[in-house]
Every structure is written in C-alpha cells, then in structure tokens.
C-alpha cells in the first residue's frame, strides 16, 4: 500500500470544501472558521473579521449538521455598504439570539440545553474591496438550498 502525501494547505483546502456544502460560498477569498465548546469564551475563540458577510453554524457533536445561517452588512442604493461597528465578529459575538442578550451568553446556554458539545462556525466576507455580493443575498441562497433539501430552515434560524 502506498501512502498519499498532501501538504497542510491541500488538507485545509480539502476540509474547507467538505465544510462548504453550498457552492455559493466557494469563491469567497476572505474566510475562516473556529470551534466553540461550552467552556470556551466566544469573544476569545471567534476569529471573524470586522468585514461584512455570512456565517454558518454547525453542530458537530455527532454528525455535522447546519443549525444556523446569519449575515451582517446592508448595501445602500448608491452601492456603499452600511455596517455596524465590528462587522462579522460583533454580529457573531454580540448579536442577540434565544434571549435579549449576546450570543457570547446565549450560545453556551443553548448548547447546554441541547447537549451540544461543540459548534463549528464558518464565516465568509462577501462584500469588501474585491468582492461585491450582498450578504443577505448569500444568506438567502444558503437558506433556500437548505429549505429545498430539508423542507425546513436550520433549527436555530427562527424565520427568514
């Protein structure tokens, strides 16, 4: 039997393609991911930029399951981008979900409630100097594909 050698960069690329189950996301150059356990501090582990784009949240406890899609950034009629200070990072860490409090508090509580040991968050800048794709458009495409495949939205998306 022959061993196949792949570089670390190729391994990351293969795994990122595996994570990206939606073709709409494949072309974005500014992207990354991080994991969150109940014991982690979301403010510390979140590596998202202050840019605008989308983020996907996976429950990776057993089988990898997409449980939420979110976005930040609004394109104005003159083509400029309106963002809240902090962009993706702030939306992931301080955006409200499950309660009138930031995700840095509500996600660990919800993880405990649902017995989720680890989340994986994958984020993409969709609107920057080099790319001009409306974040909510990409969010809608991913949610539509999920809806088409599963006849429902991801369980942490209340509505769209």
């Amino acid at each position: 039997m022959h061993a196949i050698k792949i570089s670390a960069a190729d391994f990351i690329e293969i795994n990122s393609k595996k994570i990206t189950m939606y073709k709409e996301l494949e072309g974005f150059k500014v992207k990354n991911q991080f994991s969150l356990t109940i014991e982690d501090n979301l403010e510390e582990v979140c590596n998202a930029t202050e840019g605008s784009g989308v983020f996907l949240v996976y429950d990776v406890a057993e089988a990898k399951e997409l449980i939420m899609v979110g976005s930040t950034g609004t394109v104005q009629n003159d083509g400029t981008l309106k963002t809240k200070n902090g962009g993706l990072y702030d939306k992931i860490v301080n955006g409200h979900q499950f309660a009138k409090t930031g995700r840095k508090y509500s996600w660990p509580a919800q993880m405990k409630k649902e017995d989720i040991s680890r989340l994986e968050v994958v984020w993409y800048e969709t609107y920057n100097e080099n790319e001009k794709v409306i974040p909510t458009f990409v969010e809608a495409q991913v949610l539509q594909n999920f809806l088409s495949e599963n006849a429902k939205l991801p369980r942490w998306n209340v509505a769209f």
Side-chain angles (χ1 to χ4, degrees), residues 103-122:
R103 291 186 177 100
K104 62 186 169 189
Y105 304 114
S106 65
W107 276 4
Q110 191 68 21
M111 290 168 70
K112 190 171 188 175
K113 182 178 176 182
E114 293 185 31
D115 196 27
I116 297 172
S117 60
R118 187 168 65 92
L119 295 178
E120 192 169 277
V121 180
V122 185

Side-chain angles (χ1 to χ4, degrees), residues 93-109:
V93 172
N94 296 309
H96 291 186
Q97 188 172 5
F98 305 118
K100 293 186 180 196
T101 185
R103 291 186 177 100
K104 62 186 169 189
Y105 304 114
S106 65
W107 276 4

Side-chain angles (χ1 to χ4, degrees), residues 125-136:
E125 277 190 22
T126 66
Y127 203 96
N128 55 36
E129 289 179 9
N130 301 314
E131 301 183 85
K132 304 280 188 239
V133 184
I134 300 169
T136 52

Side-chain angles (χ1 to χ4, degrees), residues 53-156:
V54 299
F55 60 98
L56 285 70
V57 181
Y58 295 90
D59 174 352
V60 292
E62 292 179 25
K64 189 171 190 168
E65 175 191 356
L66 179 64
I67 61 172
M68 187 199 157
V69 181
S71 69
T72 187
T74 306
V75 178
Q76 305 300 297
N77 70 348
D78 64 357
T80 60
L81 188 71
K82 179 180 176 185
T83 61
K84 293 181 179 174
N85 291 341
L88 281 161
Y89 175 88
D90 189 61
K91 181 77 171 203
I92 292 168
V93 172
N94 296 309
H96 291 186
Q97 188 172 5
F98 305 118
K100 293 186 180 196
T101 185
R103 291 186 177 100
K104 62 186 169 189
Y105 304 114
S106 65
W107 276 4
Q110 191 68 21
M111 290 168 70
K112 190 171 188 175
K113 182 178 176 182
E114 293 185 31
D115 196 27
I116 297 172
S117 60
R118 187 168 65 92
L119 295 178
E120 192 169 277
V121 180
V122 185
W123 57 267
Y124 305 82
E125 277 190 22
T126 66
Y127 203 96
N128 55 36
E129 289 179 9
N130 301 314
E131 301 183 85
K132 304 280 188 239
V133 184
I134 300 169
T136 52
F137 173 72
V138 178
E139 178 186 20
Q141 285 182 303
V142 173
L143 287 171
Q144 181 61 57
N145 285 339
F146 187 92
L147 179 66
S148 296
E149 294 167 11
N150 300 284
K152 62 182 180 178
L153 292 177
R155 71 178 190 249
W156 284 11

Side-chain angles (χ1 to χ4, degrees), residues 16-74:
S16 83
K17 292 283 189 220
K18 193 174 176 185
I19 290 165
T20 304
M21 55 191 264
Y22 298 101
K23 66 182 183 302
E24 305 75 22
L25 302 171
E26 290 177 4
F28 298 111
K29 305 279 187 269
V30 181
K31 61 187 174 188
N32 211 330
Q33 66 186 61
F34 64 91
S35 292
L36 176 73
T37 66
I38 293 172
E39 295 80 28
D40 290 332
N41 179 331
L42 182 56
E43 290 176 299
E44 293 174 6
V45 299
C46 180
N47 62 4
T49 66
E50 293 185 4
S52 294
V54 299
F55 60 98
L56 285 70
V57 181
Y58 295 90
D59 174 352
V60 292
E62 292 179 25
K64 189 171 190 168
E65 175 191 356
L66 179 64
I67 61 172
M68 187 199 157
V69 181
S71 69
T72 187
T74 306

